[in-house]
């Protein structure tokens, strides 16, 4: 047994994971060079080695949950490459306006066939609300309706949806509440399909960066978009929302959040899934909103994201044969690792899901929390 293998086995033992064991969360190693690779490359190497077929696990989500709960990722000394990755994130603004469409091109434009296969009927690519839901479609519809009720949506109101995806919220708000919705996205594929899905409704879908907004709305929603904004731009994001919101309006921010303020995202996720992405913390969002907005409600239902991701994982694998010729086996392993490791991040409570209701700081309205 070489030193790298000994070190990794010792770490895994602390979280009750065995190599080539019989339990669902045990690691099945196919290449013994895995140990040195993971010690040198951390979470990036762990994900890449899975994509390369160096290891398998019957329940990747359970394995990663144990790794995160035991904080093993912080017990491995980072390589020079990971240190440089962190320094670049601090020194540069990776989500500056010139890179606004990068995430759209690299993630959301992968193909509408992939997302139609994986998501619910309404194509919501964010956490569902499972309190009374029996399936993914019900959970996502409940989430959209919860948002509409939280912002007091009424017929004729003009609503901005920052990061509108495939138009799920816009369609719901227009059909069910009679709202007039402007949705913006940086994905050409999303914009094209969203326009089709919202045809005939008072909905306008634009291919537009949020920094180009300069008009007034009664309500603003941002559902799973600020994760692409970066901590260096949070204040500017809030300033634009404040500039566009009516004096007595409301702004609902739906976002994944992290327990500790960070300045970089996970290296594997950054390289393969969400380039330039990172998760905000409570103090980062609070500082960005200070003097602009009053926080009227803060709702955490992070554990529901675990169920949402597992539903996406089932849909993806159940329908894989329909798209496998286009995407290939390495993509299948990458996407499964993304969905299952993300589920683990919520199951371990390392990540949260927040819905935050904000009002202009000078507004006089009284807000009562809605928890159906």
């Amino acid at each position: 047994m070489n030193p790298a293998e000994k070190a990794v086995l010792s770490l895994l033992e602390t979280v009750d994971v065995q190599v080539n064991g019989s339990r669902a969360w045990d690691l099945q190693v196919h290449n013994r060079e895995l140990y040195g690779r993971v010690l040198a490359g951390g979470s990036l190497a762990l994900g890449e080695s899975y994509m390369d077929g160096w290891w398998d696990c019957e329940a990747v989500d359970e394995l990663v949950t144990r790794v995160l709960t035991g904080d093993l990722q912080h017990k491995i000394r980072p390589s020079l490459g990971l240190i440089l990755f962190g320094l670049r994130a601090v020194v540069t603004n990776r989500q500056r306006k010139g890179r606004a469409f990068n995430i759209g091109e690299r993630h959301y434009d992968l193909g509408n066939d992939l997302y139609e296969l994986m998501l619910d009927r309404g194509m919501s690519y964010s956490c569902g609300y499972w309190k009374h839901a029996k399936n993914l479609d019900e959970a996502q519809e409940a989430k959209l309706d919860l948002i509409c009720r939280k912002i007091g949506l009424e017929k004729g109101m003009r609503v901005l949806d920052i990061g509108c995806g495939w138009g799920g919220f816009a369609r719901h708000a227009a059909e069910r509440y009679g709202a007039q919705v402007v949705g913006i996205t940086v994905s050409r594929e999303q914009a094209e399909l969203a326009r089709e899905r919202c045809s005939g409704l008072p909905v306008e879908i634009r291919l537009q960066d949020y920094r180009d907004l300069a008009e007034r709305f009664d309500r603003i929603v941002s559902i799973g978009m600020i994760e692409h904004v970066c901590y260096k731009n949070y204040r500017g994001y809030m300033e634009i929302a404040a500039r566009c919101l009516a004096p007595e309006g409301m702004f609902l921010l739906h976002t994944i959040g992290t327990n500790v303020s960070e300045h970089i995202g996970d290296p594997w996720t950054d390289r393969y899934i969400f380039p330039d992405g990172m998760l905000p913390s409570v103090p980062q969002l609070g500082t960005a909103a200070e003097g602009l907005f009053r926080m009227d409600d803060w709702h955490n239902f992070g554990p529901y994201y675990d169920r949402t991701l597992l539903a996406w994982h089932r849909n993806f694998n159940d329908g894989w044969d329909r798209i496998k010729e286009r995407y290939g086996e390495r993509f299948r392993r990458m996407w499964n690792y993304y969905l299952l490791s993300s589920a683990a991040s919520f199951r371990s409570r390392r990540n949260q899901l927040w819905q935050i209701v904000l009002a202009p700081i000078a507004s006089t309205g009284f807000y009562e929390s809605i928890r159906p």
Side-chain angles (χ1 to χ4, degrees):
M1 184 181 297
N2 61 45
E5 182 174 356
K6 185 176 181 180
V8 171
L9 292 180
S10 179
L11 285 171
L12 292 176
E13 186 178 2
T14 66
V15 294
D16 191 29
V17 173
Q18 298 175 6
V19 170
N20 300 328
S22 60
R23 299 167 302 180
W25 60 85
D26 284 333
L27 196 67
Q28 309 302 315
V29 176
H30 308 310
N31 187 329
R32 292 187 65 185
E33 293 182 17
L34 171 70
Y35 307 109
R37 184 176 180 181
V38 169
L39 285 180
S43 65
L44 176 61
L46 184 65
E48 287 183 331
S49 60
Y50 181 79
M51 292 165 60
D52 292 339
W54 284 26
W55 63 273
D56 277 298
C57 179
E58 182 182 340
V60 171
D61 51 329
E62 284 295 314
L63 169 65
V64 178
T65 297
R66 283 164 169 76
V67 168
L68 293 175
T69 302
D71 203 30
L72 298 195
Q73 68 274 25
H74 292 125
K75 296 177 182 178
I76 297 175
R77 180 178 298 177
S79 66
L80 178 60
L82 294 180
I83 293 172
L84 291 175
F85 168 75
L87 287 175
R88 283 196 299 271
V90 172
V91 172
T92 64
N93 185 352
R94 301 179 67 216
Q95 291 170 323
R96 59 192 178 274
K97 190 173 180 181
R99 293 173 61 89
F101 287 80
N102 188 39
I103 180 61
E105 293 166 356
R106 291 183 54 191
H107 185 82
Y108 297 106
D109 288 346
L110 281 171
N112 287 333
D113 57 347
L114 167 66
Y115 294 107
E116 287 176 309
L117 181 83
M118 185 179 81
L119 303 177
D120 65 297
R121 286 189 308 241
M123 294 190 71
S124 289
Y125 195 20
S126 55
C127 182
Y129 190 69
W130 290 86
K131 188 172 183 179
H132 303 295
K134 298 182 181 66
N135 54 54
L136 181 62
D137 287 332
E138 291 182 4
Q140 294 294 13
E141 185 169 332
K143 181 267 300 295
L144 296 177
D145 208 62
L146 179 63
I147 291 171
C148 290
R149 282 181 286 144
K150 281 184 174 182
I151 61 174
L153 194 58
E154 297 178 0
K155 185 176 181 179
M157 282 186 173
R158 191 162 189 257
V159 184
L160 171 65
D161 183 0
I162 307 177
C164 65
W166 293 271
F169 171 82
R171 184 175 177 178
H172 186 92
E175 283 184 336
R176 303 291 181 86
Y177 288 83
Q180 301 174 29
V181 187
V182 172
I184 65 169
T185 176
V186 292
S187 164
R188 296 181 186 279
E189 291 287 320
Q190 283 186 336
E192 181 179 341
L193 186 54
R195 289 177 186 132
E196 291 179 17
R197 292 170 62 84
C198 296
S199 177
L201 294 170
V203 173
E204 178 187 357
I205 302 296
R206 303 175 185 169
L207 191 65
Q208 182 179 24
D209 179 49
Y210 71 92
R211 282 162 284 212
D212 293 327
L213 289 165
E215 55 198 286
R216 187 60 60 87
F217 297 89
D218 300 302
R219 300 289 188 268
I220 298 176
V221 299
S222 174
I223 307 170
M225 187 276 177
I226 201 170
E227 297 92 329
H228 302 307
V229 168
C230 181
Y231 76 100
K232 291 189 175 184
N233 303 315
Y234 290 158
R235 181 64 179 184
Y237 188 79
M238 292 290 184
E239 288 173 343
I240 289 166
R243 181 179 73 202
C244 292
L245 188 61
E248 294 296 325
M250 280 189 277
F251 171 30
L252 186 140
L253 180 65
H254 174 116
T255 180
I256 300 171
T258 186
N259 299 330
V260 179
S261 296
E262 297 177 344
H263 301 97
I264 58 172
D266 173 75
W268 183 84
T269 305
D270 180 87
R271 178 173 292 182
Y272 293 101
I273 307 297
F274 296 117
D276 309 331
M278 64 167 293
L279 304 180
S281 67
V282 171
Q284 286 171 335
L285 292 176
T287 299
E290 186 172 354
L292 299 172
F293 289 107
R294 177 184 70 239
M295 192 278 288
D296 276 348
D297 190 50
W298 196 302
H299 184 189
N300 184 351
F301 51 92
Y304 288 158
Y305 225 142
D306 185 0
R307 294 182 65 178
T308 303
L309 284 152
L310 292 183
W312 292 344
H313 177 256
R314 285 191 297 271
N315 289 346
F316 173 71
N317 284 281
D318 287 348
W320 172 246
D321 285 346
R322 306 201 319 251
I323 62 171
K324 66 180 182 181
E325 295 303 320
R326 178 179 177 189
Y327 292 93
E329 178 61 15
R330 196 164 192 266
F331 181 92
R332 185 189 70 83
R333 292 183 67 89
M334 178 188 78
W335 208 252
N336 274 317
Y337 186 80
Y338 151 53
L339 295 172
L340 293 175
S341 61
S342 296
S345 73
F346 292 96
R347 195 175 309 163
S348 63
R349 301 311 305 273
R350 289 301 184 268
N351 287 344
Q352 314 304 323
L353 189 285
W354 299 322
Q355 281 191 353
I356 308 165
V357 178
L358 300 165
I361 200 163
S363 68
T364 58
F366 173 69
Y367 185 86
E368 291 193 74
S369 298
I370 295 174
R371 301 285 190 275

PDB file of all heavy atoms in Angstrom, residues 206-220:
ATOM      1  N   ARG A 206     -36.652  38.124 -23.728  1.00  0.00           N
ATOM      2  CA  ARG A 206     -35.525  38.832 -24.334  1.00  0.00           C
ATOM      3  C   ARG A 206     -34.218  38.084 -24.098  1.00  0.00           C
ATOM      4  O   ARG A 206     -34.002  37.507 -23.026  1.00  0.00           O
ATOM      5  CB  ARG A 206     -35.367  40.220 -23.725  1.00  0.00           C
ATOM      6  CG  ARG A 206     -36.578  41.127 -23.816  1.00  0.00           C
ATOM      7  CD  ARG A 206     -36.304  42.412 -23.055  1.00  0.00           C
ATOM      8  NE  ARG A 206     -37.455  43.304 -22.995  1.00  0.00           N
ATOM      9  CZ  ARG A 206     -37.510  44.379 -22.219  1.00  0.00           C
ATOM     10  NH1 ARG A 206     -36.453  44.707 -21.463  1.00  0.00           N
ATOM     11  NH2 ARG A 206     -38.591  45.130 -22.210  1.00  0.00           N
ATOM     12  N   LEU A 207     -33.347  38.121 -25.076  1.00  0.00           N
ATOM     13  CA  LEU A 207     -31.964  37.674 -24.913  1.00  0.00           C
ATOM     14  C   LEU A 207     -31.187  38.901 -24.455  1.00  0.00           C
ATOM     15  O   LEU A 207     -30.790  39.746 -25.264  1.00  0.00           O
ATOM     16  CB  LEU A 207     -31.429  37.135 -26.243  1.00  0.00           C
ATOM     17  CG  LEU A 207     -30.098  36.394 -26.191  1.00  0.00           C
ATOM     18  CD1 LEU A 207     -30.210  35.110 -25.393  1.00  0.00           C
ATOM     19  CD2 LEU A 207     -29.611  36.098 -27.613  1.00  0.00           C
ATOM     20  N   GLN A 208     -30.987  39.019 -23.134  1.00  0.00           N
ATOM     21  CA  GLN A 208     -30.486  40.283 -22.572  1.00  0.00           C
ATOM     22  C   GLN A 208     -29.761  40.035 -21.250  1.00  0.00           C
ATOM     23  O   GLN A 208     -30.197  39.230 -20.431  1.00  0.00           O
ATOM     24  CB  GLN A 208     -31.664  41.237 -22.352  1.00  0.00           C
ATOM     25  CG  GLN A 208     -31.288  42.610 -21.818  1.00  0.00           C
ATOM     26  CD  GLN A 208     -32.525  43.511 -21.657  1.00  0.00           C
ATOM     27  OE1 GLN A 208     -33.640  43.047 -21.516  1.00  0.00           O
ATOM     28  NE2 GLN A 208     -32.303  44.816 -21.682  1.00  0.00           N
ATOM     29  N   ASP A 209     -28.679  40.758 -21.039  1.00  0.00           N
ATOM     30  CA  ASP A 209     -27.976  40.736 -19.759  1.00  0.00           C
ATOM     31  C   ASP A 209     -28.684  41.661 -18.777  1.00  0.00           C
ATOM     32  O   ASP A 209     -29.180  42.728 -19.163  1.00  0.00           O
ATOM     33  CB  ASP A 209     -26.529  41.200 -19.968  1.00  0.00           C
ATOM     34  CG  ASP A 209     -25.730  41.235 -18.678  1.00  0.00           C
ATOM     35  OD1 ASP A 209     -25.757  40.238 -17.935  1.00  0.00           O
ATOM     36  OD2 ASP A 209     -25.102  42.279 -18.406  1.00  0.00           O
ATOM     37  N   TYR A 210     -28.725  41.280 -17.522  1.00  0.00           N
ATOM     38  CA  TYR A 210     -29.442  42.079 -16.524  1.00  0.00           C
ATOM     39  C   TYR A 210     -28.875  43.490 -16.396  1.00  0.00           C
ATOM     40  O   TYR A 210     -29.585  44.422 -16.024  1.00  0.00           O
ATOM     41  CB  TYR A 210     -29.419  41.371 -15.162  1.00  0.00           C
ATOM     42  CG  TYR A 210     -28.072  41.354 -14.465  1.00  0.00           C
ATOM     43  CD1 TYR A 210     -27.713  42.359 -13.562  1.00  0.00           C
ATOM     44  CD2 TYR A 210     -27.153  40.333 -14.691  1.00  0.00           C
ATOM     45  CE1 TYR A 210     -26.484  42.345 -12.923  1.00  0.00           C
ATOM     46  CE2 TYR A 210     -25.929  40.308 -14.054  1.00  0.00           C
ATOM     47  CZ  TYR A 210     -25.595  41.316 -13.172  1.00  0.00           C
ATOM     48  OH  TYR A 210     -24.378  41.304 -12.530  1.00  0.00           O
ATOM     49  N   ARG A 211     -27.606  43.674 -16.733  1.00  0.00           N
ATOM     50  CA  ARG A 211     -26.983  44.985 -16.593  1.00  0.00           C
ATOM     51  C   ARG A 211     -27.489  46.003 -17.613  1.00  0.00           C
ATOM     52  O   ARG A 211     -27.201  47.196 -17.500  1.00  0.00           O
ATOM     53  CB  ARG A 211     -25.463  44.843 -16.677  1.00  0.00           C
ATOM     54  CG  ARG A 211     -24.854  44.334 -15.375  1.00  0.00           C
ATOM     55  CD  ARG A 211     -23.457  43.779 -15.544  1.00  0.00           C
ATOM     56  NE  ARG A 211     -23.478  42.458 -16.151  1.00  0.00           N
ATOM     57  CZ  ARG A 211     -22.580  41.501 -15.898  1.00  0.00           C
ATOM     58  NH1 ARG A 211     -21.591  41.735 -15.046  1.00  0.00           N
ATOM     59  NH2 ARG A 211     -22.673  40.321 -16.485  1.00  0.00           N
ATOM     60  N   ASP A 212     -28.249  45.539 -18.589  1.00  0.00           N
ATOM     61  CA  ASP A 212     -28.810  46.445 -19.595  1.00  0.00           C
ATOM     62  C   ASP A 212     -30.245  46.852 -19.286  1.00  0.00           C
ATOM     63  O   ASP A 212     -30.888  47.507 -20.108  1.00  0.00           O
ATOM     64  CB  ASP A 212     -28.754  45.783 -20.983  1.00  0.00           C
ATOM     65  CG  ASP A 212     -27.330  45.610 -21.473  1.00  0.00           C
ATOM     66  OD1 ASP A 212     -26.477  46.469 -21.147  1.00  0.00           O
ATOM     67  OD2 ASP A 212     -27.047  44.609 -22.162  1.00  0.00           O
ATOM     68  N   LEU A 213     -30.763  46.477 -18.124  1.00  0.00           N
ATOM     69  CA  LEU A 213     -32.137  46.829 -17.753  1.00  0.00           C
ATOM     70  C   LEU A 213     -32.220  48.272 -17.261  1.00  0.00           C
ATOM     71  O   LEU A 213     -31.381  48.708 -16.473  1.00  0.00           O
ATOM     72  CB  LEU A 213     -32.637  45.897 -16.646  1.00  0.00           C
ATOM     73  CG  LEU A 213     -32.922  44.450 -17.048  1.00  0.00           C
ATOM     74  CD1 LEU A 213     -33.035  43.581 -15.807  1.00  0.00           C
ATOM     75  CD2 LEU A 213     -34.197  44.367 -17.889  1.00  0.00           C
ATOM     76  N   ALA A 214     -33.239  48.996 -17.721  1.00  0.00           N
ATOM     77  CA  ALA A 214     -33.439  50.377 -17.269  1.00  0.00           C
ATOM     78  C   ALA A 214     -34.904  50.766 -17.465  1.00  0.00           C
ATOM     79  O   ALA A 214     -35.220  51.693 -18.211  1.00  0.00           O
ATOM     80  CB  ALA A 214     -32.530  51.328 -18.024  1.00  0.00           C
ATOM     81  N   GLU A 215     -35.814  50.050 -16.804  1.00  0.00           N
ATOM     82  CA  GLU A 215     -37.249  50.335 -16.917  1.00  0.00           C
ATOM     83  C   GLU A 215     -37.940  49.894 -15.631  1.00  0.00           C
ATOM     84  O   GLU A 215     -37.362  49.178 -14.819  1.00  0.00           O
ATOM     85  CB  GLU A 215     -37.837  49.629 -18.141  1.00  0.00           C
ATOM     86  CG  GLU A 215     -37.585  48.129 -18.160  1.00  0.00           C
ATOM     87  CD  GLU A 215     -37.767  47.525 -19.548  1.00  0.00           C
ATOM     88  OE1 GLU A 215     -38.933  47.391 -19.960  1.00  0.00           O
ATOM     89  OE2 GLU A 215     -36.746  47.208 -20.202  1.00  0.00           O
ATOM     90  N   ARG A 216     -39.174  50.299 -15.448  1.00  0.00           N
ATOM     91  CA  ARG A 216     -39.870  50.116 -14.181  1.00  0.00           C
ATOM     92  C   ARG A 216     -40.825  48.918 -14.212  1.00  0.00           C
ATOM     93  O   ARG A 216     -41.537  48.701 -15.197  1.00  0.00           O
ATOM     94  CB  ARG A 216     -40.640  51.396 -13.843  1.00  0.00           C
ATOM     95  CG  ARG A 216     -41.301  51.434 -12.473  1.00  0.00           C
ATOM     96  CD  ARG A 216     -40.308  51.284 -11.335  1.00  0.00           C
ATOM     97  NE  ARG A 216     -39.297  52.295 -11.282  1.00  0.00           N
ATOM     98  CZ  ARG A 216     -39.424  53.461 -10.666  1.00  0.00           C
ATOM     99  NH1 ARG A 216     -40.544  53.777 -10.060  1.00  0.00           N
ATOM    100  NH2 ARG A 216     -38.412  54.315 -10.631  1.00  0.00           N
ATOM    101  N   PHE A 217     -40.841  48.168 -13.102  1.00  0.00           N
ATOM    102  CA  PHE A 217     -41.707  47.001 -12.955  1.00  0.00           C
ATOM    103  C   PHE A 217     -42.385  47.043 -11.588  1.00  0.00           C
ATOM    104  O   PHE A 217     -41.811  47.526 -10.609  1.00  0.00           O
ATOM    105  CB  PHE A 217     -40.910  45.705 -13.088  1.00  0.00           C
ATOM    106  CG  PHE A 217     -40.275  45.505 -14.439  1.00  0.00           C
ATOM    107  CD1 PHE A 217     -39.001  46.000 -14.697  1.00  0.00           C
ATOM    108  CD2 PHE A 217     -40.962  44.850 -15.447  1.00  0.00           C
ATOM    109  CE1 PHE A 217     -38.417  45.829 -15.941  1.00  0.00           C
ATOM    110  CE2 PHE A 217     -40.384  44.677 -16.698  1.00  0.00           C
ATOM    111  CZ  PHE A 217     -39.117  45.172 -16.950  1.00  0.00           C
ATOM    112  N   ASP A 218     -43.591  46.470 -11.512  1.00  0.00           N
ATOM    113  CA  ASP A 218     -44.312  46.383 -10.239  1.00  0.00           C
ATOM    114  C   ASP A 218     -43.715  45.307  -9.335  1.00  0.00           C
ATOM    115  O   ASP A 218     -43.726  45.439  -8.106  1.00  0.00           O
ATOM    116  CB  ASP A 218     -45.789  46.066 -10.490  1.00  0.00           C
ATOM    117  CG  ASP A 218     -46.467  47.120 -11.343  1.00  0.00           C
ATOM    118  OD1 ASP A 218     -46.462  48.295 -10.923  1.00  0.00           O
ATOM    119  OD2 ASP A 218     -46.987  46.775 -12.424  1.00  0.00           O
ATOM    120  N   ARG A 219     -43.233  44.243  -9.938  1.00  0.00           N
ATOM    121  CA  ARG A 219     -42.643  43.140  -9.195  1.00  0.00           C
ATOM    122  C   ARG A 219     -41.433  42.621  -9.968  1.00  0.00           C
ATOM    123  O   ARG A 219     -41.390  42.682 -11.208  1.00  0.00           O
ATOM    124  CB  ARG A 219     -43.634  41.987  -9.003  1.00  0.00           C
ATOM    125  CG  ARG A 219     -44.905  42.338  -8.237  1.00  0.00           C
ATOM    126  CD  ARG A 219     -44.604  42.565  -6.763  1.00  0.00           C
ATOM    127  NE  ARG A 219     -45.817  42.707  -5.977  1.00  0.00           N
ATOM    128  CZ  ARG A 219     -46.424  43.865  -5.702  1.00  0.00           C
ATOM    129  NH1 ARG A 219     -45.914  45.004  -6.206  1.00  0.00           N
ATOM    130  NH2 ARG A 219     -47.506  43.907  -4.962  1.00  0.00           N
ATOM    131  N   ILE A 220     -40.454  42.094  -9.222  1.00  0.00           N
ATOM    132  CA  ILE A 220     -39.278  41.468  -9.834  1.00  0.00           C
ATOM    133  C   ILE A 220     -39.070  40.112  -9.163  1.00  0.00           C
ATOM    134  O   ILE A 220     -39.180  39.985  -7.936  1.00  0.00           O
ATOM    135  CB  ILE A 220     -38.016  42.328  -9.667  1.00  0.00           C
ATOM    136  CG1 ILE A 220     -38.186  43.675 -10.375  1.00  0.00           C
ATOM    137  CG2 ILE A 220     -36.786  41.600 -10.225  1.00  0.00           C
ATOM    138  CD1 ILE A 220     -37.008  44.632 -10.168  1.00  0.00           C
TER     139      ILE A 220
END
